[in-house]
Amino acid sequence: MPLYIIRDDITMMETDAIVNPTDEFFSGSGGTDYMIHRIAGEELEHECRDLPLLKTGQCAATGAYNLQCRYIIHTVGPIWDYDENPDELLRNCYRNSLNAAKERECESVAFPLISSGTFGCPKDTALTIATEEISAFLMHNDMTVYIVVYDREAVEVSRELMGNIKEYIYENYVSIREENIMMGSIPGELRAPSCVEEPVIFESFDELCCNKALPLDFDNLGESFQHMLFRKIDERGISDSDCYNKANIDRRLFSKLKNPGYTPNKKTVLALCIALELNIEETEELLDTLGYSLSKSIKFDVIIRYFIEKGIFNIFTINSVLFANDQQLLGAKAA
């Protein structure tokens, strides 16, 4: 099941569970913790009084009361410049919280970026640990997981990676207006090709279909999307589940891909290309089976091309960059 990075208020999430970054006393005194306690109501405070103190990295589940979820999973994140081995403690927060959600048969859970606020964890480190632990869990478990942030600035990708991508976008991204100028287009019209053959005009559909000069070779249309996709999965020697997990797509959506009559959107096809670690030529080949292509006039496409050319196929790293650039993310749930 997929992992999503979204901009929202975690207290408004209608998931089975939300994760609350708290302290050892469940005090409800800081940021997100305060808002969750305030909205959930006095019943939450009463339940928390009966719980044993939490150690850093541990978690405990309670009812959600006035919130729109079923459970609140409370966890204590590390203080970055104070606790020993804070990265491992932070990983424990995610591991223990995900297992707690699984024990309660949750199908969906929403996380904040734990310890990335007043506890001082660098945002790029917090995001890396979150995506690594969640994606590792999702490789073997069916659950939809959200990382919920207030704004795009809350997600920080490494400066070196962002710098490289910005430079690549600057060198390769061509806006529609720039493309038209390069083609010599006049505003409001497209430049005609310098050499155009006289059009062939047919009187009827029968005449069109029977004209031998028209290249309508229906017996040699090329390999279908479904055939090429599953051939490449077999060639890579990976299972279907590995493929849809690495592509960050729902297994129910993946099952639809086996239907020859089903046409996935371009975003889903690109997610599969990333999962299969296809190079640019192979990616273009698979896209072409459905009439898609990678365009230099679409920033989303340019970012995807960067990662494929660099051989970086971690879909969660890619999604972090897409999110930071205000683009749609790779991966999807079944409709």
Side-chain angles (χ1 to χ4, degrees):
M1 301 287 269
L3 164 62
Y4 296 97
I5 305 172
I6 63 172
R7 183 171 54 185
D8 209 332
D9 180 349
I10 198 169
T11 64
M12 302 302 293
M13 295 295 293
E14 297 182 16
T15 47
D16 288 329
I18 64 171
V19 175
N20 176 36
T22 189
D23 55 30
E24 60 181 329
F25 304 105
F26 304 89
S27 67
S29 59
T32 302
D33 192 17
Y34 169 78
M35 291 301 299
I36 287 174
H37 274 261
R38 187 174 71 84
I39 296 172
E42 292 182 358
E43 293 89 346
L44 175 60
E45 184 178 348
H46 295 156
E47 183 176 358
C48 287
R49 286 175 184 169
D50 297 328
L51 296 175
L53 299 182
L54 279 181
K55 294 181 179 179
T56 304
Q58 292 182 336
C59 72
T62 66
Y65 303 102
N66 295 329
L67 291 167
Q68 299 182 63
C69 53
R70 292 167 52 204
Y71 301 104
I72 303 169
I73 299 173
H74 307 264
T75 189
V76 180
I79 300 173
W80 213 250
D81 294 327
Y82 176 78
D83 289 309
E84 293 185 11
N85 301 318
D87 53 344
E88 187 60 27
L89 291 171
L90 183 55
R91 290 182 185 279
N92 287 338
C93 290
Y94 286 98
R95 293 169 189 161
N96 292 329
S97 297
L98 287 164
N99 285 325
K102 180 180 179 180
E103 289 170 4
R104 287 157 182 78
E105 300 182 345
C106 294
E107 295 183 358
S108 57
V109 60
F111 283 88
L113 273 180
I114 301 169
S115 287
S116 66
T118 57
F119 281 14
C121 178
K123 289 184 173 58
D124 58 339
T125 301
L127 181 62
T128 297
I129 289 175
T131 54
E132 286 180 354
E133 290 302 322
I134 294 169
S135 60
F137 175 85
L138 292 178
M139 287 296 293
H140 306 287
N141 297 277
D142 281 341
M143 193 180 294
T144 299
V145 182
Y146 300 88
I147 296 175
V148 184
V149 298
Y150 277 113
D151 51 47
R152 298 190 183 277
E153 287 67 33
V155 172
E156 188 174 293
V157 184
S158 76
R159 292 182 181 179
E160 181 181 1
L161 177 58
M162 284 302 294
N164 292 338
I165 290 171
K166 285 181 180 179
E167 181 178 351
Y168 184 87
I169 291 173
Y170 178 79
E171 292 176 352
N172 292 274
Y173 175 62
V174 181
S175 70
I176 295 298
R177 181 175 181 276
E178 289 170 336
E179 194 173 60
N180 288 343
I181 291 171
M182 290 167 61
M183 292 171 60
S185 301
I186 300 172
E189 64 182 22
L190 289 175
R191 183 183 179 188
S194 57
C195 179
V196 181
E197 295 181 0
E198 287 295 319
V200 179
I201 301 175
F202 297 100
E203 296 296 332
S204 67
F205 180 76
D206 289 339
E207 183 184 353
L208 182 149
C209 291
C210 294
N211 186 279
K212 295 181 179 180
L214 200 65
L216 293 179
D217 188 357
F218 292 111
D219 293 328
N220 295 285
L221 290 177
E223 193 174 12
S224 70
F225 166 77
Q226 277 78 12
H227 187 275
M228 184 179 293
L229 171 65
F230 288 98
R231 173 173 63 79
K232 288 186 180 296
I233 291 174
D234 290 340
E235 289 173 354
R236 286 339 188 245
I238 65 173
S239 65
D240 287 358
S241 61
D242 283 343
C243 184
Y244 64 68
N245 282 323
K246 289 181 178 179
N248 197 38
I249 64 175
D250 190 298
R251 60 183 171 81
R252 292 168 296 178
L253 172 58
F254 186 83
S255 67
K256 291 183 178 181
L257 299 176
K258 298 180 180 180
N259 181 355
Y262 181 75
T263 302
N265 61 34
K266 177 178 172 180
K267 184 164 63 76
T268 298
V269 178
L270 285 171
L272 292 163
C273 292
I274 296 298
L276 292 168
E277 300 187 5
L278 303 185
N279 61 32
I280 283 293
E281 290 74 22
E282 292 172 313
T283 297
E284 291 280 15
E285 184 182 30
L286 187 59
L287 287 168
D288 187 58
T289 61
L290 295 173
Y292 302 136
S293 64
L294 287 174
S295 169
K296 288 190 175 183
S297 298
I298 302 173
K299 186 178 290 187
F300 172 89
D301 288 12
V302 175
I303 294 171
I304 298 299
R305 181 182 288 273
Y306 170 87
F307 282 102
I308 293 173
E309 288 185 354
K310 298 298 182 183
I312 301 172
F313 297 105
N314 185 314
I315 201 161
F316 303 110
T317 298
I318 297 170
N319 274 345
S320 299
V321 171
L322 289 170
F323 185 87
N325 281 274
D326 201 22
Q327 302 295 309
Q328 287 189 326
L329 307 189
L330 295 176
K333 292 185 289 185

